[in-house]
Amino acid sequence: MEMMSQLWLPILVSAAAVWIASALIWMALPHHRKDFGKLPDEAGFTAALRSMGVGPGNYGFPFCEGHSAQKDPEFQRKWTEGPTGFMTVMGRMNMGRNMFLTFIVYLVVSTLIAYLGAAIPLARGDSFSHVFRVLGVAGVLAYSFAFIPGDIWFAKNPRAIVMCFIDGLAYGLITGAVFAWLWPSA
């Protein structure tokens, strides 16, 4: 546990570096611009949602209460005829709150990566390349793979999955580099 107390600086710096990289990637780079498609009649769609009183939340259609309801002929008809899908309706976005919570997630990931580095045979004074290799892989695992099963099941655009994987690769390598740079000396 003594080692963890010496890793507070790489924890904070790596979380901040990934947070900044994430902001730059999403605001400045073009590779996420095709993650979402335009509805054929956006005005009609949003008017229909408003008229139905659809509030913020996650929705599946056709809706199924549980496994036994999947056998219902009406559900089967709706499922076969389509369309089927998932929809997230957001309320008013609070950028400050979302940015803060995102930083907290990055801070937790960096803390867990620090714990991994302290728990396995990484020692004070280990070389940059050794620390980078071990903790960079941990960062890539954390940032590139955790979301993929959910994206597969909820039919996210395959191109968007690849772009998020690439972002995660960058975040993981940034994390590994920061830890290697600030790793305690012997």
Side-chain angles (χ1 to χ4, degrees):
M1 231 28 183
E2 177 191 337
M3 182 68 142
M4 280 297 289
S5 68
Q6 296 179 13
L7 295 175
W8 65 269
L9 184 60
I11 290 169
L12 289 174
V13 173
S14 64
V18 170
W19 186 80
I20 291 166
S22 172
L24 291 173
I25 283 171
W26 280 92
M27 290 188 291
L29 296 181
H31 67 284
H32 284 292
R33 291 195 182 126
K34 294 182 182 179
D35 285 3
F36 301 95
K38 183 173 175 27
L39 291 166
D41 179 10
E42 184 177 316
F45 181 80
T46 55
L49 289 178
R50 273 195 293 291
S51 73
M52 289 186 282
V54 176
N58 294 309
Y59 301 91
F61 55 94
F63 180 73
C64 183
E65 192 69 43
H67 293 295
S68 60
Q70 291 176 350
K71 296 175 183 153
D72 177 43
E74 180 63 15
F75 173 81
Q76 288 294 321
R77 182 190 63 74
K78 291 176 184 177
W79 185 262
T80 302
E81 289 178 3
T84 63
F86 302 100
M87 178 176 69
T88 299
V89 177
M90 300 183 327
R92 188 171 180 93
M93 186 180 292
N94 183 330
M95 288 294 286
R97 175 189 168 275
N98 290 353
M99 292 174 80
F100 173 75
L101 291 174
T102 300
F103 179 75
I104 296 300
V105 169
Y106 297 156
L107 194 59
V108 169
V109 169
S110 289
T111 302
L112 292 172
I113 290 171
Y115 176 76
L116 178 67
I120 62 173
L122 284 180
R124 285 181 195 83
D126 271 355
S127 70
F128 181 96
S129 63
H130 182 64
V131 174
F132 176 73
R133 188 170 57 247
V134 173
L135 298 186
V137 167
V140 169
L141 288 170
Y143 290 118
S144 288
F145 288 95
F147 66 91
I148 293 176
D151 287 353
I152 290 168
W153 279 99
F154 296 105
K156 190 170 182 181
N157 170 348
R159 184 195 169 284
I161 294 172
V162 171
M163 294 302 107
C164 287
F165 177 85
I166 291 169
D167 294 350
L169 185 63
Y171 304 157
L173 296 176
I174 289 167
T175 300
V178 168
F179 271 96
W181 169 47
L182 296 173
W183 194 253
S185 58

